[in-house]
Amino acid sequence: MRFSPVNGIRARRLAAAAGRLLVAIFLTYLGLLAVTFFIGRVIPVDPVLAIVGERAPEHVVARVREELGLNKPLWQQFYIYLGRVLHGDFGTSVLTSNPVMQDIRRTFPATIELATLGIIIGAGFGVPLGVWAAVRRGGVADHAVRVLGLIGYSVPIFWLGLMGLVLFYARLGWVGGPGRIDVAYEYSLTLVSGFLLLDAALAGQWDTFGNALSHLILPACLLGYFSLAYISRMTRSFMLNELAQEYVVAARAKGLSESRIIWHHALRNAMVPLVTVVVLSYAGLLEGSVLTETVFAWPGLGLYITNSLQNADMNAVMGGTIVVGSVFIGLNLLSDLLYQLLDPRTRTR
């Protein structure tokens, strides 16, 4: 096969684009590590006192500070920390006495499970509601959807969580209470993946599956409503823009049905930016479910970081923050890739 000059130019362009992407990822991740590290060092919390206690003798405090390398200059501490992080070592948690990475592997699946069901609910209802509002612009349906979204933006999520527990758990008994599963089922299932619903389904323990789902559904609906408010608003905006385009007028002139114009043509074009919105909303749920996990005592990464911060466990706080930031960076890259796949105009020629 002959190597044409055109193929060579395309290969060089592709290599240059890949190189720029790798440099951007490296600089972003380095910036994330730097910001996380230096904020963890300048806040008025002494990790040494969190380990030895405030009444420890001075010589003990000095020895532990030297063992942890906290007596060295900040730039040298950051260099050492950077090397450890690149090897997957976030240190040891003061709160649990476990390696931070081990705690993250234990807690992060619960957050992923909660956020995933939340974004399914948010996108599953938010997209149709946004389309409906755009089609009925200025009507009752449009105003109802906008008010629904405004409530989702305005009402504090922790208040909605508490009210949901009072109504649906304490009063009506429709859902499970705080926590991820009842104590009676907690030790009946061997966790393989860390995802309760998946492990229970694979093991055929449907009673455990139902109990886990009853605990999951309320906080997931709460996060879903929070993302629904944003997704429905953006869907409405994108659809209004598409419905005003000339191709819609041409399609109506050809006699195409209104439903085909809306769902097959307009929504298809609106899905290009909408996919980015959904992916970034999912990233927001993964990093922003701290209040929800606290209200529902959900043993996820958000609750783990909150408890660690309250106990001055800075290794756990920085490790959890870096993991969440890394996931956010990855999902941003995924959204850019999906955007290019859905819209050929954005691809490198």
Side-chain angles (χ1 to χ4, degrees):
M1 179 181 295
R2 297 180 61 184
F3 187 77
S4 66
V6 175
N7 290 333
I9 294 174
R10 289 178 178 175
R12 286 194 295 271
R13 287 180 177 177
L14 183 61
R20 289 193 297 269
L21 178 61
L22 291 176
V23 171
I25 294 174
F26 173 76
L27 293 178
T28 304
Y29 194 72
L30 183 63
L32 171 66
L33 290 174
V35 170
T36 304
F37 175 81
F38 287 110
I39 289 179
R41 286 294 185 267
V42 300
I43 61 175
V45 174
D46 192 340
V48 176
L49 295 182
I51 297 174
V52 302
E54 296 183 357
R55 298 184 179 181
E58 279 296 326
H59 69 278
V60 175
V61 175
R63 188 179 74 249
V64 173
R65 192 179 302 278
E66 183 177 357
E67 290 175 354
L68 296 177
L70 298 178
N71 59 333
K72 299 178 180 179
L74 275 179
W75 68 268
Q76 193 171 356
Q77 293 183 40
F78 177 66
Y79 178 77
I80 295 172
Y81 184 75
L82 182 62
R84 288 168 49 194
V85 169
L86 293 178
H87 288 86
D89 180 14
F90 294 118
T92 302
S93 169
V94 176
L95 189 61
T96 65
S97 300
N98 298 325
V100 172
M101 200 62 190
Q102 178 181 331
D103 288 339
I104 291 174
R105 291 194 190 100
R106 175 178 52 84
T107 57
F108 200 33
T111 298
I112 295 176
E113 196 172 47
L114 178 61
T116 300
L117 185 56
I119 197 62
I120 290 174
I121 295 172
F125 288 95
V127 172
L129 285 175
V131 173
W132 189 34
V135 173
R136 306 292 184 183
R137 182 180 183 180
V140 176
D142 184 20
H143 291 299
V145 172
R146 294 171 68 182
V147 169
L148 186 69
L150 182 61
I151 295 174
Y153 276 114
S154 305
V155 179
I157 196 168
F158 67 87
W159 184 86
L160 283 178
L162 291 174
M163 294 301 101
L165 282 173
V166 170
L167 178 61
F168 297 109
Y169 167 62
R171 193 167 187 85
L172 299 176
W174 290 356
V175 297
R180 202 177 177 192
I181 196 171
D182 287 344
V183 177
Y185 298 93
E186 188 171 356
Y187 301 103
S188 64
L189 177 66
T190 301
L191 292 179
V192 178
S193 64
F195 302 99
L196 271 179
L197 295 182
L198 178 61
D199 290 337
L202 292 177
Q205 299 183 16
W206 298 109
D207 53 344
T208 304
F209 180 91
N211 185 264
L213 183 61
S214 70
H215 285 265
L216 175 63
I217 193 65
L218 183 57
C221 285
L222 187 65
L223 287 180
Y225 177 49
F226 180 74
S227 62
L228 178 151
Y230 178 62
I231 293 174
S232 63
R233 181 180 177 183
M234 297 305 296
T235 303
R236 177 184 180 274
S237 177
F238 295 148
M239 284 296 295
L240 288 175
N241 180 65
E242 294 299 328
L243 291 174
Q245 299 298 316
E246 293 181 357
Y247 73 86
V248 173
V249 178
R252 286 171 177 161
K254 291 180 180 179
L256 295 181
S257 64
E258 194 68 18
S259 61
R260 182 174 178 80
I261 294 173
I262 294 169
W263 298 103
H264 183 73
H265 294 285
L267 181 60
R268 186 175 181 178
N269 289 328
M271 285 301 295
V272 176
L274 189 57
V275 166
T276 302
V277 170
V278 173
V279 172
L280 295 183
S281 296
Y282 181 52
L285 294 186
L286 284 173
E287 70 167 358
S289 58
V290 175
L291 288 177
T292 303
E293 291 187 1
T294 303
V295 170
F296 289 91
W298 190 262
L301 186 60
L303 184 62
Y304 174 71
I305 295 175
T306 302
N307 291 337
S308 300
L309 185 60
Q310 292 174 348
N311 290 273
D313 189 356
M314 297 313 299
N315 282 339
V317 172
M318 290 191 295
T321 303
I322 289 171
V323 168
V324 172
S326 301
V327 171
F328 199 90
I329 292 172
L331 289 175
N332 266 284
L333 294 174
L334 176 62
S335 68
D336 290 340
L337 177 61
L338 291 175
Y339 197 99
Q340 293 185 19
L341 290 175
L342 292 171
D343 190 353
R345 296 171 299 179
T346 61
R347 300 174 191 171
T348 302
R349 296 181 180 178

